[in-house]
Amino acid sequence: MVTTARLRHLGPNWYAAVMGTAIVGSAGAALPSHVRHLCAALWALSLLLLLALLAARALHWAHHRDQARQHLLDPATAPFHGCTAMALLAVGGGALSAGRYWIGTRAAVALDTVLFSAGTALGLAAAVAVPYLMVTRHRPTLADATPVWLLPLVAPMVSAALGPALVPHLPPGQSRGTLLLGCLALFGLSLLATLLMLPLLLARLVLHGPLPLALTPALFLVLGPLGQSTTATGAIADLAPGVVPAPYDRGLAVFAVLYGVPVMGFALLWLAFAAAQLVRARRRGMRFSPTWWGLTFPVGTCVTGAASLARHTGLAVYAGLAAGLYALLLLAWAAAATGTVRGLLSGVLLPAPPPARGALPAARVRTRSGAVR
């Protein structure tokens, strides 16, 4: 009972830890000289975290249904439901990119198929349901806008980036073409929705000033759709030959470069802007919170995006950029993981339930005989 009571405050934002851990393995596997067993170990850790969190969230829904419903109706928490889909997708995609070295390609394909299907369905549901609730129930103001609003909109972009890896494992013909162009449709869906949301976020920062200190790491979430969309265009272009008829296959390769280069340029600009805000927040006393996981997955998508541009352009500068961003990703993951473990052990992140009403606090009383009770 105590265990389930402590899960009352377990929200969907915890899936960000799964995403952040999975991307460390996947991004490492995208680098030219990756360490296979290290990437596989990190992927295995993300899989264990996902299974544990799915079980914990199931208990949360079973024992704290009122709180779970409140998470949907809370404008600050509802967007994090996009993390559920992205966690499934990240672990599934990592199975093929990193986990296959331990579990084999056949098992990796089967696992990715299940997680990709479930994650894509949940991602599309979140991309519709959360904005619907924002319009009909939440009714936020411009001052309430945060990069967290991007989370449900980015989930389909993760599907677009990771889905092409399954194309070679489908029967030739309609199945491959449907999946690949379906990923392109998911790319467009997420991109256009993100382009509608970004001006609101920038307007909020300009008109209302910096975010609260604890939310400052969320600024890095803007990197997610930028890096992931660059990764998606490259992945789709890689699988287009033999699946998409000419000249569209070659056109997709050209589009991957013409789109990815300027978008990665803007990603670096936003990275510098967000880093400056983070330094400012630290100087003003920002402490650890689960929002620090926002420093991991978005940066990881920029690693895979830069690695994709390195493949398509042959330029060493993008390979160097991917390596440099990966080093930054490792530092961010270490900081977030360390803070999370400390917070869990101390009870700060998942506090214990309050004592029952009417219960007396334990006391140590010395009797006349000198015994302590």
Side-chain angles (χ1 to χ4, degrees):
M1 184 68 179
V2 174
T3 301
T4 58
R6 293 197 67 171
L7 294 179
R8 180 170 180 80
H9 301 285
L10 184 73
N13 59 304
W14 280 90
Y15 284 104
V18 178
M19 297 161 53
T21 303
I23 198 66
V24 177
S26 298
L31 298 178
S33 57
H34 67 273
V35 183
R36 290 183 176 182
H37 291 295
L38 175 61
C39 294
L42 288 167
W43 170 80
L45 176 60
S46 71
L47 176 61
L48 293 176
L49 291 174
L50 176 63
L51 294 176
L53 192 52
L54 287 174
R57 287 285 292 168
L59 290 174
H60 181 270
W61 274 94
H63 295 274
H64 306 287
R65 193 176 298 272
D66 62 322
Q67 185 70 12
R69 177 178 172 80
Q70 184 60 36
H71 285 161
L72 278 172
L73 300 180
D74 181 8
T77 307
F80 283 102
H81 284 85
C83 291
T84 307
M86 289 188 282
L88 295 172
L89 293 166
V91 174
L96 272 181
S97 61
R100 61 190 175 92
Y101 298 114
W102 278 14
I103 65 175
T105 301
R106 194 171 191 175
V109 170
L111 180 60
D112 189 21
T113 300
V114 173
L115 295 181
F116 175 80
S117 301
T120 300
L122 285 175
L124 289 172
V128 175
V130 175
Y132 174 82
L133 289 173
M134 291 175 68
V135 172
T136 59
R137 298 293 297 270
H138 301 162
R139 306 300 294 270
T141 64
L142 181 61
D144 300 321
T146 72
V148 172
W149 287 6
L150 291 172
L151 290 174
L153 305 179
V154 178
M157 188 66 78
V158 180
S159 295
L162 298 178
L166 287 170
V167 169
H169 304 284
L170 292 175
Q174 290 287 322
S175 299
R176 293 185 179 184
T178 300
L179 177 57
L180 193 64
L181 292 184
C183 290
L184 186 60
L186 291 170
F187 161 84
L189 179 159
S190 180
L191 177 64
L192 294 176
T194 299
L195 291 177
L196 291 174
M197 189 66 72
L198 283 178
L200 295 177
L201 302 179
L202 185 58
R204 183 256 178 258
L205 293 173
V206 172
L207 298 178
H208 297 278
L211 295 174
L213 296 183
L215 274 177
T216 302
L219 286 171
F220 285 78
L221 295 178
V222 175
L223 296 174
L226 303 176
Q228 200 68 284
S229 61
T230 304
T231 304
T233 55
I236 292 171
D238 289 338
L239 275 300
V243 176
V244 178
Y248 303 111
D249 55 349
R250 179 57 185 165
L252 288 171
V254 173
F255 177 68
V257 175
L258 294 181
Y259 173 87
V261 171
V263 168
M264 187 56 63
F266 178 70
L268 293 178
L269 172 65
W270 191 269
L271 176 62
F273 171 75
Q277 293 286 328
L278 188 66
V279 171
R280 174 187 176 277
R282 286 291 286 172
R283 288 178 175 176
R284 292 174 178 253
M286 181 187 71
R287 297 183 178 181
F288 174 79
S289 69
T291 57
W292 281 34
W293 283 105
L295 304 173
T296 56
F297 190 80
V299 175
T301 66
C302 291
V303 174
T304 56
S308 174
L309 288 176
R311 291 195 315 270
H312 286 273
T313 64
L315 295 178
V317 64
Y318 286 112
L321 176 62
L325 290 173
Y326 189 70
L328 181 62
L329 172 61
L330 290 176
L331 290 175
W333 180 83
T338 301
T340 299
V341 172
R342 288 176 178 174
L344 288 174
L345 293 178
S346 64
V348 173
L349 295 183
L350 286 178
R357 183 177 298 178
L360 296 176
R364 295 173 65 84
V365 181
R366 186 175 296 276
T367 63
R368 292 182 180 179
S369 63
V372 177
R373 296 180 181 176

